[in-house]
């Protein structure tokens, strides 16, 4: 690939490099095997040649999921952008494996010769860097820019620090209590990741999982979080008499890793916890609609006995219809948008309808965003099951959680 690219650089005119990460082959390899992955790779390459590239252009391999498209003459950088957008459209069509309809999730980085470099190795590296950025952008296409290189370096260093934090068991968790609205007492807690990066400060769970995904250590991060959460909740039981269920929120993308089931089983076994006391809250659930690996992993977790909760604030009604057929047992409902239920009867009726619908789907309801005792009392009247509320106090580290809830609140 590099030799062919170097040869083309001797021609007159500019060159455009597209690195296409199709986000598909690795997942197919894991489910159906490398022979099926090879067939799909060949199909992707044929589509790029037939539908995107011109005579004189060519496509080569840069890895299991990556393809490098060389546009032999690019008079205007906009030509490369148009080719990238056409590639997204072409790869947006489903790939059929038997009766399964599989979708790619492509991202594309662009580098142009000589603007972005005059050596083949440099151009490929910079197009790859742009591709990594494209994965984070709504349009899924990015070109190389010098000022972004520092950002890429910063992200790489953060990935390395996360790897160190996981290996040294240095990640911290805080715990938000969950209340049984019928009984009026703490019945569980949600473990929330708090990673204090020495260079960047407090890192959100979403950023941590994005860094773990880039570093290829998603299951390592999940293992670290689960083991810390289960260890702490076991200590709550033995040191303070708190026999609680424990919730951990994970992005649905982690379900695309088939080894997740083994990670969960090992964690439960290490801390002698019954599977039913672990609740995995699944966010960004749109992945479940298109990825059979994620759906299969979800089903196997349910068979293991782990409880599954829909924890997706951006969920649409269409998504709910699709999720209703999946093995969830709980749904989180953000009630903050409802306002004061005492003065907004329409909001009250909407909440009542949603709670009744969830119960008809055999989903327990956990209300979040509850603002005060009056709202909690009304939710109880509406037969909401549980509440996770900031007004009851902030999320606490394990020591302060035991001090606050280890004895009767009365």
């Amino acid at each position: 690939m590099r030799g062919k690219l170097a040869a083309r650089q001797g021609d007159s005119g500019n060159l455009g490099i597209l690195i296409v990460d199709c986000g598909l082959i690795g997942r197919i390899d894991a489910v159906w095997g490398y022979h099926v992955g090879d067939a799909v790779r060949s199909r992707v390459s044929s589509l790029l040649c037939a539908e995107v590239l011109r005579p004189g252009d060519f496509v080569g391999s840069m890895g299991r999921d990556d393809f490098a498209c060389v546009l032999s003459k690019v008079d205007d950088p906009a030509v490369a952008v148009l080719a990238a957008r056409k590639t997204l459209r072409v790869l947006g069509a489903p790939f059929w494996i038997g009766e399964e309809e599989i979708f790619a999730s492509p991202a594309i980085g662009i580098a142009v010769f000589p603007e972005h470099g005059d050596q083949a190795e440099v151009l490929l590296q910079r197009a790859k860097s742009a591709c990594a950025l494209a994965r984070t952008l709504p349009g899924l296409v990015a070109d190389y820019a010098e000022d972004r290189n520092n950002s890429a370096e910063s992200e790489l260093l953060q990935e390395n620090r996360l790897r160190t934090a996981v290996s040294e068991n240095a990640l911290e968790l805080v715990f938000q209590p969950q209340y049984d609205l019928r009984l009026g007492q703490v019945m569980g807690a949600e473990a929330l990741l708090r990673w204090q990066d020495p260079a960047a400060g407090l890192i959100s769970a979403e950023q941590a999982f994005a860094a773990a995904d880039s570093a290829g250590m998603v299951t390592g991060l999940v293992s670290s979080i689960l083991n810390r959460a289960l260890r702490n909740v076991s200590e709550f039981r033995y040191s303070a008499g708190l026999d609680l269920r424990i919730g951990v929120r994970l992005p649905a993308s982690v379900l695309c890793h088939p080894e997740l089931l083994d990670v969960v089983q090992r964690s439960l076994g290490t801390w002698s916890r019954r599977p039913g006391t672990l609740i995995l809250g699944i966010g960004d659930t749109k992945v479940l609609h298109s990825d059979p690996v994620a759906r299969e992993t979800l089903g196997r977790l349910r068979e293991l006995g782990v409880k599954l909760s829909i924890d997706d604030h951006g969920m649409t009604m269409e998504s709910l219809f699709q999720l209703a057929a999946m093995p969830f047992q709980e749904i989180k409902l953000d009630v903050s948008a409802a306002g004061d239920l005492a003065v907004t009867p329409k909001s009250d009726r909407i909440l009542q309808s949603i709670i009744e619908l969830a119960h008809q789907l055999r989903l327990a309801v956990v209300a979040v965003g509850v603002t005060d005792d009056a709202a909690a009392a009304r939710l109880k009247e509406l037969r909401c099951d549980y509440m996770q509320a900031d007004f009851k106090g902030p999320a606490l580290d394990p020591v302060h959680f035991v001090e606050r809830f280890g004895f009767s609140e009365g």
Side-chain angles (χ1 to χ4, degrees), residues 229-269:
L230 294 170
R231 187 194 78 183
N232 285 142
V233 79
S234 296
E235 291 172 349
F236 295 165
R237 180 180 182 183
Y238 292 115
S239 67
L242 287 168
D243 191 8
L244 305 176
R245 71 178 206 164
I246 183 68
V248 175
R249 186 179 190 272
L250 302 175
S253 57
V254 307
L255 297 170
C256 300
H257 298 263
E259 63 271 26
L260 176 67
L261 186 72
D262 291 334
V263 169
V264 173
Q265 286 180 304
R266 286 198 302 269
S267 300
L268 289 166

Side-chain angles (χ1 to χ4, degrees), residues 268-314:
L268 289 166
T270 297
W271 301 105
S272 301
R273 297 290 299 182
R274 290 180 292 105
T277 62
L278 174 63
I279 296 87
L280 295 182
I282 306 301
D284 306 318
T285 54
K286 59 182 177 294
V287 172
L288 295 173
H289 309 324
S290 59
D291 195 303
V293 178
R295 293 196 298 273
E296 180 181 353
T297 303
L298 191 76
R300 294 179 68 189
L301 286 168
R302 179 68 187 92
E303 291 172 2
L304 177 63
V306 172
K307 291 188 176 179
L308 302 168
S309 176
I310 301 169
D311 191 358
D312 186 350
H313 301 315

Side-chain angles (χ1 to χ4, degrees), residues 83-259:
R85 289 176 178 165
K86 188 172 184 180
T87 299
L88 289 180
R89 290 196 299 272
V90 168
L91 297 184
F95 293 83
W96 288 91
I97 300 177
E99 296 182 355
E100 291 288 349
E101 189 179 34
I102 310 300
F103 289 87
S105 54
I108 303 172
I110 301 171
V112 176
F113 168 84
E115 180 181 350
H116 298 145
D118 57 6
Q119 300 295 320
E121 192 71 33
V122 172
L123 285 169
L124 291 169
Q125 181 270 323
R126 290 181 170 176
K128 180 66 175 176
S129 174
C131 184
L133 173 67
R135 180 64 69 190
T136 70
L137 300 177
L140 296 171
V141 174
D143 62 354
Y144 176 81
E146 190 68 40
D147 58 348
R148 291 176 184 154
N149 202 34
N150 291 331
S151 175
E153 179 182 356
S154 176
E155 289 173 4
L156 178 60
L157 293 175
Q158 186 176 88
E159 290 168 16
N160 290 336
R161 290 192 297 269
L162 176 62
R163 191 182 301 276
T164 299
V166 169
S167 65
E168 296 178 353
N169 199 26
L171 297 176
E172 298 293 335
L173 299 178
V174 292
F175 295 85
Q176 184 81 57
Q178 294 179 336
Y179 293 81
D180 187 317
L181 285 169
R182 294 165 298 175
L183 302 178
Q185 64 186 32
V186 175
M187 44 65 68
E190 179 169 8
L192 306 172
L193 177 64
R194 292 292 184 269
W195 174 33
Q196 193 73 32
D197 182 11
L202 186 63
I203 302 297
S204 69
E206 289 77 11
Q207 289 174 299
F209 273 103
D213 188 45
S214 297
M217 52 175 293
V218 168
T219 52
L221 176 59
V222 173
S223 178
S224 180
I225 293 171
L226 285 178
N227 276 286
R228 177 62 66 92
L230 294 170
R231 187 194 78 183
N232 285 142
V233 79
S234 296
E235 291 172 349
F236 295 165
R237 180 180 182 183
Y238 292 115
S239 67
L242 287 168
D243 191 8
L244 305 176
R245 71 178 206 164
I246 183 68
V248 175
R249 186 179 190 272
L250 302 175
S253 57
V254 307
L255 297 170
C256 300
H257 298 263
E259 63 271 26

Side-chain angles (χ1 to χ4, degrees), residues 308-330:
L308 302 168
S309 176
I310 301 169
D311 191 358
D312 186 350
H313 301 315
M315 182 182 60
T316 64
M317 186 60 68
E318 179 183 3
S319 294
L320 181 57
F321 283 126
Q322 294 173 306
L323 294 172
M326 299 182 193
F328 289 100
Q329 298 138 291
E330 182 181 281

Side-chain angles (χ1 to χ4, degrees), residues 368-380:
V368 297
V370 185
T371 54
D372 52 35
D373 285 318
R378 182 55 184 150
L379 285 166
K380 178 181 177 181

